[in-house]
Amino acid sequence: MNYSYVIVDDNQESVLETKAVADGFSELTFLASANNYEEGLNIILEHNPQLVFLEIDPADKKSNLSLVLINELYRYLKVVPKIIVTTKKKDLAFDAIQYEVADYIIKPVSRVHLIKTILKLEKSSAVEESVTVLPQLAIEPPIVPVVQQETTAQKEPLILCIKSYGDYRYIDTRDIAYFQADNNSTDIHLNNGEMITAFKTLKHFEGVLSYPFVRIHNSYIVNSHCISRIHTGNSVCYIKNTAIKLPFSKSYKGNIDLIIAEISSGNYLEI
């Protein structure tokens, strides 16, 4: 999933450092930056970013940067961007949590910090998409607890339907190993070796699918759960139970780092 972002920080050097790290991630798109409260509010309202990197303890107190900026956003926006606090102090973390910020990063912002932040955002987005909102909930509470409904939805696999002239082909996305671009169509390769062609671009699938499907190359989206090996030196990853090797490009190296980090965050032992 791609995220647009702005940086609001009184220190221009910190702005450039944060942007330099974020530039290494193809899923992050820079829109603008500001050095004080008023400019920060203006660029957020103008550009409507999905993420805001916000300094809340500025060296220049005249910049008026603080968590209060978040309150101001609620006055104007129906959907407030995800706020990622970037600061040098740890003791403001509790206050930031009260404002429900998406993440709290101690400066200087590093690549590992952003990998973890993006993974949190992806996981949060996946949970939100799995929840079914019932219109009558406010009037008539459902018999089944909401928590139980969320759990059931999360367990259900995503079914991909390839429709062509009245022919509906249903594919359990867990059975998909990878997608391969073929001009204006896309070849869907299954774990059993079968290949199905969909008349949609790879860009289309990148936009509608979330983790574990990750874009690693201009020509490939891979199911991270089907990867058995990643060789960063040769810039290739291997598909489980096959001899298939998929290349990944430098422009998508950040996505490969995300896959490695996600795998290592589970039931994992490194030797």
Side-chain angles (χ1 to χ4, degrees):
M1 188 171 179
N2 296 324
Y3 303 94
S4 58
Y5 74 94
V6 300
I7 303 173
V8 183
D9 195 318
D10 66 306
N11 188 322
Q12 185 60 26
E13 185 177 342
S14 290
V15 170
L16 296 176
E17 289 175 353
T18 299
K19 182 178 181 300
V21 177
D23 281 345
F25 294 83
S26 61
E27 53 269 85
L28 296 179
T29 302
F30 176 74
L31 297 178
S33 66
N35 301 123
N36 59 57
Y37 179 98
E38 185 175 353
E39 291 177 358
L41 177 61
N42 289 341
I43 65 168
I44 294 170
L45 297 182
E46 178 183 355
H47 295 283
N48 193 24
Q50 292 164 291
L51 307 178
V52 176
F53 291 93
L54 175 64
E55 170 62 80
I56 60 173
D57 185 41
D60 180 6
K61 301 304 178 183
K62 293 181 180 179
S63 68
N64 293 322
L65 293 180
S66 71
L67 290 165
V68 175
L69 177 61
I70 302 175
N71 280 344
E72 192 71 3
L73 295 178
Y74 279 100
R75 290 183 56 193
Y76 300 101
L77 301 175
K78 290 183 178 180
V79 179
V80 173
K82 300 289 186 183
I83 307 296
I84 301 169
V85 170
T86 58
T87 188
K88 291 184 178 180
K89 291 185 178 181
K90 296 181 179 179
D91 54 5
L92 297 174
F94 180 78
D95 292 336
I97 291 173
Q98 307 309 305
Y99 282 80
E100 299 182 348
V101 301
D103 211 346
Y104 191 98
I105 298 177
I106 303 299
K107 289 182 179 178
V109 177
S110 70
R111 185 175 183 79
V112 173
H113 283 144
L114 290 192
I115 288 174
K116 292 179 179 178
T117 295
I118 293 173
L119 286 174
K120 289 179 184 177
L121 293 171
E122 293 284 354
K123 182 174 289 187
S124 175
S125 176
V127 171
E128 289 174 2
E129 289 175 1
S130 71
V131 177
T132 301
V133 179
L134 300 179
Q136 73 276 20
L137 185 61
I139 303 172
E140 225 174 82
I143 298 174
V144 181
V146 175
V147 174
Q148 182 175 341
Q149 289 181 338
E150 292 178 2
T151 303
T152 302
Q154 291 175 39
K155 288 182 179 179
E156 291 181 359
L158 175 65
I159 302 300
L160 183 64
C161 177
I162 307 299
K163 180 182 176 182
S164 177
Y165 301 104
D167 180 18
Y168 295 78
R169 174 65 186 268
Y170 300 106
I171 307 171
D172 187 327
T173 52
R174 293 174 300 182
D175 296 332
I176 299 174
Y178 63 96
F179 296 80
Q180 182 176 7
D182 184 8
N183 294 320
N184 290 325
S185 63
T186 300
D187 294 332
I188 304 172
H189 295 264
L190 306 185
N191 294 325
N192 62 8
E194 185 179 358
M195 190 269 285
I196 301 164
T197 297
F199 294 99
K200 296 287 186 180
T201 64
L202 195 67
K203 183 70 175 177
H204 172 80
F205 285 104
E206 182 184 16
V208 299
L209 295 173
S210 58
Y211 195 87
F213 293 98
V214 180
R215 184 80 175 261
I216 61 171
H217 190 277
N218 284 340
S219 299
Y220 296 102
I221 292 175
V222 68
N223 181 348
S224 303
H225 294 164
C226 292
I227 293 177
S228 62
R229 178 184 177 188
I230 296 175
H231 196 304
T232 56
N234 292 336
S235 297
V236 295
C237 58
Y238 296 72
I239 301 299
K240 288 179 181 177
N241 304 318
T242 72
I244 296 172
K245 296 186 291 185
L246 301 182
F248 59 84
S249 55
K250 289 183 179 179
S251 57
Y252 291 100
K253 178 60 167 56
N255 289 355
I256 291 295
D257 291 338
L258 286 174
I259 294 172
I260 293 173
E262 179 68 14
I263 293 173
S264 63
S265 68
N267 190 10
Y268 175 82
L269 175 62
E270 188 170 299
I271 301 174

